Amino acid sequence: MTADSPAAARETRPADASPGEIAPEDDLVQDPAQLDPEHLDPEPAGDGWGDEDDWTDETLVLLRTLRAPHRLNRAKQVGFALYCVLLILIIWGGVPSLGLFLQASMGADYTGHGGDLLAAMPSGIAAAGLAFVLLAVRDGLWRGPVVPPRAATDWLLAHPVRPRPVLRPWFWLSCGLAVFPGLVTAVGAMVALGLMLRVGLPAALGWCLLGGACLPLLATCAGLLVERSDTAARWVRRLTPLVTVLVLLLAAQSALAVAGHRVHWLELVELWSGPWGWAGIAALAPTRGAVPGAWVAALLLFGGTATALFFADRAAGAVPLGRLRERARTAAGVFAALRTVELRAARLAVTGASGTTRRLWIRLPMPRHAWLVVPWRDATALLRSPARLGRAVLLTAPAVLCAALAHGIGSKPSVPTTAVALVFGYLAVAQLLEPARIETDDVRRAAWSPYPFADLMLRHAIVPALAGVLIALVGAGAAVLAGAGPAVWLAPAVVPALVGAGLVNTCRGVMRRDLMYKAPSSGSGLGLFLFAAWYAAGPAAAVLALTLPFAQALRADSATTCGQALGVGVMVAVVLLWWARTRASELTGLSRPAAQQDR
């Protein structure tokens, strides 16, 4: 024992020394804040550790021993979750599929839709695969496949232990979780191919499993690359808008192919463009629409997946510790917000951690009239966040497409198609209401305004309504040029009502989680339904009120039905704006925030 060691320092202290007489340099921890994980160094000071300092095996054995009493309870929880998932899949998937196969064995014919399925598969599978890869790499921007709990990142990895044995299991857990939806999709594709195309079930399952298992694993490896590399993360941020547009174009091409407008050479290019297309080639292999070179695509898919997993397994332990700590805290915050149904808080946390809030410093001329100040602020905010305008335009495209489809189909299918169009329209308009949502996040932010809070909320509807009408006009014009009926020009008429629905949701106030625990006297347990109805009251009311009149106007395409739909749209907009004003008045007791603050 050296004279400078902490133990020697303790032995040399006087027995009757008071805490105030002990020198600070004799303390093992001079500052209690040093014990806080927030004050730890972003990287472990392990450059000087040698092989003799490696306590990895002993530490892991100790942790397994300490966790043994809790391992059984954890296994019970995981087993119960798996049981619930399997029960849902069997009830909602297995039993109906078995019934369909029994009916087919007794003479029922489901091959009438086989041609539509074959037409939709090339572009549709490419769109779904590319969307899955995009979601995986976007997940790597804020969380990633290698995210251990905070206890491991803040305490365990700060000690002389090798990171690889600690981090590697989390990577393979992410791989397993990613493969599960792929396996479920492969089984569903097997059922569809067997019923509609009379393909043998073993062949259909084998070829579909190839894409359903390999593509999620490749996407997980890509997410790990984004998690480790800042360069890859920057490219993901830059390419996200382009890839999103490609996904929408592929989905639109799939819908057009079902309608009879197939472009075979373009489908071949898409199928051979990458792993998302190779999975489609594998799924088409056992059908009459097989693409030449299926075995080549299968080898590319399997070999690429095996190679990516090999390198990803080696790289899983090389994620910087500072990055792991940051992502573990972000993931814990997001999951805590989701458990308390704070969806906006979770979304803001993900957006902030992803680093995707690009802003353009655009300055509009100052308004000369006081009543233009609020629209000027909203327009400046939207122009400085071009991603929101881009998302509004992208979401308008499927809304107009569904409206055009509702014009050319029968009476019954036009109603759900119109409802889907209105849902996409609401999502597009909701992107433009962010300034109003910022005001309601903390009503004290409205102290700058001389207007009552309820009137301020109505003024926040001016810019979204104008921008939404302009985007709807452009979309309707493009649809008419493409051959849609003139009733598509009704798209701008629904924008004010959808803006009002967005304001109703913006002013809903404190989250009413108590509704989830309120069951009616009959004991049927509708608490979750009550909460969902309260949470989405604005858009639900708008879609329910507008669907029937606008479906009839799109189907009939007459002046009378269009006029009736226009009148209903105006009435719904007035009612929803009044509802939003009432909610805004109840949201705060400060009728004039600025005046109250001056007092």
Side-chain angles (χ1 to χ4, degrees):
M1 181 182 300
T2 62
D4 296 334
S5 65
R10 288 196 299 269
E11 291 178 358
T12 57
R13 289 176 184 166
D16 56 348
S18 63
E21 298 172 348
I22 298 176
E25 59 270 12
D26 292 337
D27 288 335
L28 292 178
V29 179
Q30 298 180 9
D31 185 4
Q34 296 176 359
L35 297 176
D36 189 356
E38 301 287 345
H39 294 80
L40 294 175
D41 293 333
E43 299 294 340
D47 295 337
W49 292 339
D51 295 337
E52 67 277 3
D53 299 317
D54 186 5
W55 290 84
T56 304
D57 298 334
E58 294 83 354
T59 302
L60 295 180
V61 170
L62 176 61
L63 288 177
R64 281 194 293 269
T65 304
L66 294 175
R67 292 169 178 168
H70 310 282
R71 193 172 297 125
L72 180 59
N73 291 334
R74 184 63 175 173
K76 290 180 180 178
Q77 295 174 358
V78 173
F80 179 73
L82 290 176
Y83 166 76
C84 293
V85 172
L86 290 177
L87 189 63
I88 293 174
L89 291 176
I90 291 174
I91 293 176
W92 293 100
V95 175
S97 299
L98 181 60
L100 292 175
F101 278 111
L102 289 176
Q103 292 179 7
S105 65
M106 292 185 292
D109 186 12
Y110 300 103
T111 59
H113 299 285
D116 294 339
L117 180 62
L118 280 178
M121 284 178 66
S123 302
I125 294 177
L130 188 58
F132 191 92
V133 174
L134 178 61
L135 291 176
V137 296
R138 293 288 303 179
D139 177 78
L141 291 176
W142 68 275
R143 192 179 66 96
V146 180
V147 181
R150 290 191 61 181
T153 57
D154 291 340
W155 176 78
L156 181 58
L157 293 177
H159 290 77
V161 296
R162 297 189 306 274
R164 176 178 166 81
V166 179
L167 301 179
R168 186 168 171 263
W170 294 101
F171 169 72
W172 287 106
L173 177 62
S174 299
C175 289
L177 294 176
V179 166
F180 179 75
L183 298 180
V184 175
T185 304
V187 174
M190 174 199 69
V191 173
L193 293 178
L195 289 173
M196 298 183 185
L197 298 174
R198 302 297 179 130
V199 176
L201 297 185
L205 181 60
W207 284 102
C208 293
L209 278 178
L210 186 63
C214 292
L215 189 60
L217 293 176
L218 277 173
T220 305
C221 295
L224 177 60
L225 176 63
V226 174
E227 183 180 2
R228 289 191 59 213
S229 172
D230 292 333
T231 303
R234 284 194 297 270
W235 277 106
V236 168
R237 297 187 187 100
R238 292 174 183 174
L239 295 178
T240 293
L242 176 61
V243 176
T244 305
V245 172
L246 289 177
V247 171
L248 292 176
L249 290 177
L250 288 171
Q253 184 185 351
S254 178
L256 291 174
V258 174
H261 306 284
R262 298 189 64 178
V263 184
H264 294 281
W265 66 268
L266 185 57
E267 292 178 353
L268 287 176
V269 172
E270 294 161 359
L271 289 175
W272 289 104
S273 61
W276 44 86
W278 302 341
I281 295 175
L284 287 168
T287 69
R288 63 176 183 268
V291 177
W295 285 104
V296 177
L299 290 176
L300 288 173
L301 195 58
F302 184 80
T305 303
T307 304
L309 287 175
F310 174 77
F311 287 104
D313 180 71
R314 298 180 60 182
V319 182
L321 180 55
R323 187 167 300 175
L324 287 175
R325 285 173 176 163
E326 179 184 354
R327 290 165 182 263
R329 295 188 185 102
T330 302
V334 171
F335 293 145
L338 291 177
R339 283 194 294 269
T340 56
V341 208
E342 296 286 350
L343 303 184
R344 176 166 170 78
R347 183 170 62 252
L348 291 177
V350 171
T351 303
S354 301
T356 55
T357 54
R358 294 183 58 189
R359 290 190 174 274
L360 301 178
W361 292 104
I362 297 176
R363 183 181 295 274
L364 296 176
M366 289 288 294
R368 296 184 180 181
H369 303 282
W371 67 272
L372 291 174
V373 172
V374 176
W376 172 78
R377 293 177 77 250
D378 293 350
T380 303
L382 289 177
L383 290 177
R384 290 182 177 181
S385 301
R388 293 197 170 275
L389 287 172
R391 286 196 292 269
V393 173
L394 290 178
L395 289 167
T396 302
V400 175
L401 178 61
C402 291
L405 291 176
H407 171 68
I409 58 181
S411 58
K412 291 183 179 179
S414 68
V415 174
T417 307
T418 305
V420 172
L422 291 171
V423 170
F424 276 111
Y426 168 76
L427 295 176
V429 170
Q431 305 302 316
L432 309 174
L433 286 168
E434 183 64 16
R437 283 192 288 267
I438 292 176
E439 300 276 18
T440 56
D441 285 341
D442 187 352
V443 295
R444 292 174 296 181
R445 290 174 177 158
W448 65 271
S449 171
Y451 306 109
F453 190 78
D455 293 346
L456 178 63
M457 287 294 103
L458 293 183
R459 292 174 184 270
H460 277 304
I462 298 175
V463 171
L466 294 177
V469 167
L470 179 61
I471 296 173
L473 284 173
V474 174
V480 170
L481 291 177
V488 180
W489 287 109
L490 284 172
V494 303
V495 172
L498 297 179
V499 171
L503 281 180
V504 169
N505 264 21
T506 299
C507 301
R508 59 178 163 238
V510 181
M511 196 66 61
R512 293 287 308 276
R513 287 181 289 271
D514 58 299
L515 293 175
M516 292 188 289
Y517 307 103
K518 289 184 178 180
S521 57
S522 59
S524 56
L526 296 179
L528 186 60
F529 173 78
L530 293 176
F531 174 80
W534 172 84
Y535 188 86
V543 172
L544 290 175
L546 297 174
T547 297
L548 288 178
F550 277 85
Q552 184 178 1
L554 290 173
R555 186 175 63 252
D557 200 5
S558 63
T560 303
T561 56
C562 290
Q564 293 175 352
L566 182 61
V568 172
V570 173
M571 291 177 56
V572 172
V574 172
V575 171
L576 289 175
L577 288 174
W578 172 82
W579 189 4
R581 191 181 189 282
T582 303
R583 275 193 165 189
S585 300
E586 297 173 353
L587 190 61
T588 174
L590 302 178
S591 59
R592 292 179 61 87
Q596 293 286 347
Q597 189 179 26
D598 293 340
R599 291 183 215 166

